[in-house]
Amino acid sequence: MNATIQERLRRFTATLLTRSGGLVEWPAGSEEGLAVLPLQVAAALHCPETVSLSYRPDADGLCANLATDFLDRIVPLVEAEPRIGLFQIPELYLKQSDMSGPVALAFTWLNAKVVVRHAKPAQVEYHAWYFLASIVSEDRWEDVIPVTVNAASGAAVALVNPLSSLDLEMADQPQSPPPSSYQAAVMQAHRLMQRRAAPFVGRLESRLERDRKRLRDYYNALLREDTNRKRRNTAQDDEDKQRAKRRAVKLELGRKLAELDERYAISAELRPAALIRLSFQTLAVHCDVFRKQARKPLVIYWNPLLKELEPLSCSACGASTFSVAFTNKDVAPLCPVCAGRRS
């Protein structure tokens, strides 16, 4: 377990136990810590009220290590946490200057003309989804995938920690629900999961190929040995028996390879764990898109937290992009990859 994962687990463990009513002392960079827990929390974790914290699987106490039963043990505490939070930021600075220049610099329009008309403030919800990702095979990989989506545009934005603002306050439930961002978040989380899990999958594939080679080498050696024996004892050995032996060896090799494929088969899961709905004013830049004989309004958002324009969401695959093409019929935005597939 590398240092980055250790630090994430340390912060997570300290935060979870503190929110559950415990007192936690586990300094950054230290391999061990200590927690004093309420009786019901200690009972849920099957540990004493005063418990040591560590990364090491062989240590006493609560071990924050993904190779142990740590995730299973903390399930009661995690399930007791609220899954959806609604927050708002009351005031943020919005750009006052003309947005034609920034839009022209940020975006590349591949097959249409886009004209900026005006810009005005708009209250927008951003949905920060947290997904539990897992891949189970001969080994196991797990991670938490965070994705933040502009609920109005469906584009993923780089809000790393949406709860980090000092001006954050609890928000009332709006009168009308926001547009669903779940599908856009799932598509983005799936791409991030593939990217993050690529080294793990690569190691699995290397091990599978190594084990396949060992099996083939072993059974091919048996076939060569049988062939050499046949050449030496042609008069004594029965030809049909030799063919039956070779066929049996090949069938056994096929069976072993199939067992190997089943052993290394991958089962992947992406499950939503929490949602933070964060509302604040953005600058909505209203544009017109001209594609052949069609014309359609388009809204681009300038994000005051990021202090930059947000990308658009591809209508086909959901990818966020600043290089945009548009469909002929409904003038829907496309990323370059999806646009190339349709051309």
Side-chain angles (χ1 to χ4, degrees), residues 6 21-22 26 31 39 61 81 136 153 163 182 204 207 219 231 267 298 312 320:
Q6 282 187 346
W26 196 357
E31 288 197 356
L39 179 60
E81 290 288 319
V136 180
S153 69
L163 298 182
Y182 178 71
L204 280 181
R207 284 154 61 178
Y219 283 98
R231 289 172 180 170
S267 173
L298 174 71
L312 292 176
S320 296

Side-chain angles (χ1 to χ4, degrees), residues 25-91:
E25 179 64 30
W26 196 357
S30 175
E31 288 197 356
E32 294 185 347
L34 187 68
V36 180
L37 306 175
L39 179 60
Q40 65 273 21
V41 174
L45 294 175
H46 304 288
C47 68
E49 293 175 65
T50 300
V51 62
S52 60
L53 308 172
S54 175
Y55 304 118
R56 302 195 312 275
D58 59 344
D60 295 329
L62 185 62
C63 175
N65 190 311
L66 297 180
T68 68
D69 63 349
F70 173 69
L71 293 179
D72 294 328
R73 291 180 69 178
I74 64 172
V75 164
L77 302 187
V78 174
E79 289 183 340
E81 290 288 319
R83 300 296 182 93
I84 299 178
L86 186 58
F87 303 90
Q88 66 181 9
I89 302 176
E91 293 184 9

